[in-house]
Structure formats: C-alpha cells, structure tokens
Amino acid sequence: MVLRLTGVAAGYGPKTVVSDVSFALEPGQILAFLGHNGAGKTTTLKAIMGLLPLRAGEVRFDGKPLLRTGVAERVAQGLRLLPEGRGIFPDLTVEENIDVVAARNVLPGAMFGIADVYTLFPVLDERRTTRAGSMSGGQQQMLAMSLSILGTARCLLLDEPSIGLAPNLVERMFDQVRDLCRTHAMTAVLVEQNVAAAMRIADRVIIMNNGQIVFDGTPDEARAANVWHYF
Ligand code: ATP
C-alpha cells in the first residue's frame, strides 16, 4: 500500500473536524474522495500532507509512519498536494513557474523533468512566456498539475481541480489524471464536487459526511447504493 490512513482525526483549535478516517490505497489507484461542503475532505488532505497535526491515528506512506516527517520531506518522498485554488504563481510566466518548482524538486533520475511536463501538456510549451495568471482556467490547472508532479510524484492529493473549468475540459483533465496514474503507477486522492466526473475515472469512492466516512466502495457500488443524497 502506498498510502494508509488508520483512525485519523484532525481539526482546528478546540474543534475536531474529522475522526476515525481509515483507508489504504495501492499504487495506481484513484480514490474519489467526496462529500458536501465542510464535510472534512480538505482537512483530511492537510492532515495527510502534514499541514495539520494528527489528533489521533496514523498516516503511513510506503509502509512507513509519517509522524516525524515534515512537509518538505513528504514532498521529496513523492506525496504532493494540488491545493484548492490552483497553487501557481500568477505573476510569473509559465516557464518561471516550472523552473522555480523544478529547481527544488527535480533530482537526477526523476520521473518528471521540465521537458516531460511540456510533452505532457504541449499547450504550456506554447505558452512558456505567458504570465500564468492571464491564461484560461484550464491552462492554469494544467500548470498547477505540472508543478505538483515535477520530480517524482507518487501520490497526488488533488483538491477540487475541476473548479472553474468548462465540463468538456474537466473530462479531458480527468482523463489525463487517469492516464498519469495508469502509466506511472501514481496514486491519486481526488476531492471533487463534480461527483459524476470523479466517479468516472475512480477505482474507489469514499464519501464523508460531517467528518466521518459514510460510504466506501467501488463507483458501481456507489451508484447502486444511491449515495446522491450526501451531496
Ligand atoms: P469544502 O469543499 O467546503 O472545502 P471540505 O469537505 O473540504 O469542504 P473542510 O475544508 O475540510 O471541508 O472543512 C471542514 C470543517 O472545518 C468546516 O466546518 C470548516 O468550517 C472547518 N474549517 C476549515 N478550515 C478551518 C480553519 N482554518 N479554521 C477553523 N475551521 C476550519
């Protein structure tokens, strides 16, 4: 298992927002991590990434507990967060965005170097000298995705990557996520409000409600269980 959560609890101040969150993912698996606004999905991603301390439970990456592993070290090990709201530098050009992150994350022998992300997203190659913040939402999201995989990404935590994208672009981007995961045995946790699009590429679906897991199964099982009332 590449990522394993066991009984994870996390929160802010006096408030514990998520509790008893457990799941394990194999290399190449895509998890659609769903639920209404405020259910605790982003909080769970922050806890996995080390941006919030655990109040209970454990996160393991490649079988090793991450308790004493800082955020930068998690990134170096291949755990990557694509935050809600894109996480790009809007005032820098496409090329500058990629160079800045590559300087930190791309070591010799890395899975994704600078040339690889331009091959993956040719439109970014055409836009190298464009200010990132002036591009379309879809192009900004491709840039954000590139920044999150540079180096050797092994597990992507994607927080609502479809926000602000036209429906046809969402399908295309999700197909690219699925291809990335299949081709490179990369694991993805996909937090989405776009339930149908996320379920289309997912191997597994987990639904959170008020900080707890209320459904865990395959997309077919989710459809059969009529889980729509959770959204
Ligand atoms: P959304 O789609 O709205 O982001 P979510 O499922 O990702 O929903 P979280 O962002 O994890 O939900 O929020 C869960 C709960 O934690 C909410 O009640 C929210 O108000 C609260 N919360 C989130 N961030 C903070 C914070 N920085 N400080 C205090 N409470 C917070």
Side-chain angles (χ1 to χ4, degrees):
M1 291 295 173
V2 65
L3 180 69
R4 182 186 291 276
L5 276 67
T6 312
V8 163
Y12 311 89
K15 193 169 150 201
T16 296
V17 169
V18 297
S19 56
D20 205 18
V21 178
S22 301
F23 61 81
L25 297 173
E26 292 169 13
Q29 268 194 318
I30 300 176
L31 169 66
F33 194 50
L34 310 174
H36 61 79
N37 282 342
K41 307 176 300 292
T42 299
T43 302
T44 306
L45 297 190
K46 285 186 191 161
I48 296 171
M49 204 63 219
L51 295 165
L52 263 184
L54 299 190
R55 294 187 172 185
E58 184 183 64
V59 178
R60 284 179 179 252
F61 190 60
D62 270 342
K64 295 184 210 83
L66 290 179
L67 186 62
R68 284 180 231 304
T69 310
V71 180
E73 212 180 320
R74 292 180 203 212
V75 171
Q77 288 178 14
L79 193 54
R80 303 293 175 81
L81 173 67
L82 194 157
E84 197 175 348
R86 312 232 155 93
I88 61 172
F89 304 103
D91 292 329
L92 301 186
T93 64
V94 166
E95 192 164 40
E96 287 165 345
N97 267 273
I98 289 175
D99 287 349
V100 162
V101 175
R104 285 202 306 255
N105 289 336
V106 181
L107 298 172
M111 198 185 276
F112 294 103
I114 294 174
D116 300 313
V117 295
Y118 285 128
T119 306
L120 196 61
F121 300 112
V123 69
L124 297 181
D125 201 6
E126 292 160 21
R127 297 283 171 128
R128 277 176 190 244
T129 57
T130 305
R131 202 178 67 84
S134 70
M135 297 196 298
S136 71
Q139 289 165 353
Q140 289 188 34
Q141 199 55 270
M142 285 178 210
L143 177 58
M145 189 82 73
S146 301
L147 300 186
S148 68
I149 63 174
L150 269 167
T152 301
R154 302 189 37 248
C155 179
L156 289 180
L157 310 174
L158 305 170
D159 199 349
E160 306 208 18
S162 80
I163 279 186
L165 302 193
N168 63 330
L169 266 183
V170 174
E171 303 261 301
R172 262 181 34 209
M173 195 185 66
F174 281 15
D175 283 344
Q176 272 170 321
V177 170
R178 185 175 50 195
D179 291 349
L180 264 178
C181 290
R182 297 285 179 265
T183 313
H184 300 280
M186 205 185 284
T187 303
V189 177
L190 176 59
V191 166
E192 261 305 326
Q193 292 300 328
N194 198 330
V195 173
M199 282 217 227
R200 191 176 64 85
I201 62 159
D203 304 296
R204 181 163 166 197
V205 176
I206 287 181
I207 300 175
M208 289 204 96
N209 194 35
N210 296 325
Q212 306 253 318
I213 292 178
V214 291
F215 176 88
D216 184 348
T218 64
D220 281 344
E221 287 165 350
R223 288 182 201 103
N226 215 353
V227 295
W228 313 109
H229 63 279
Y230 287 118
F231 306 115

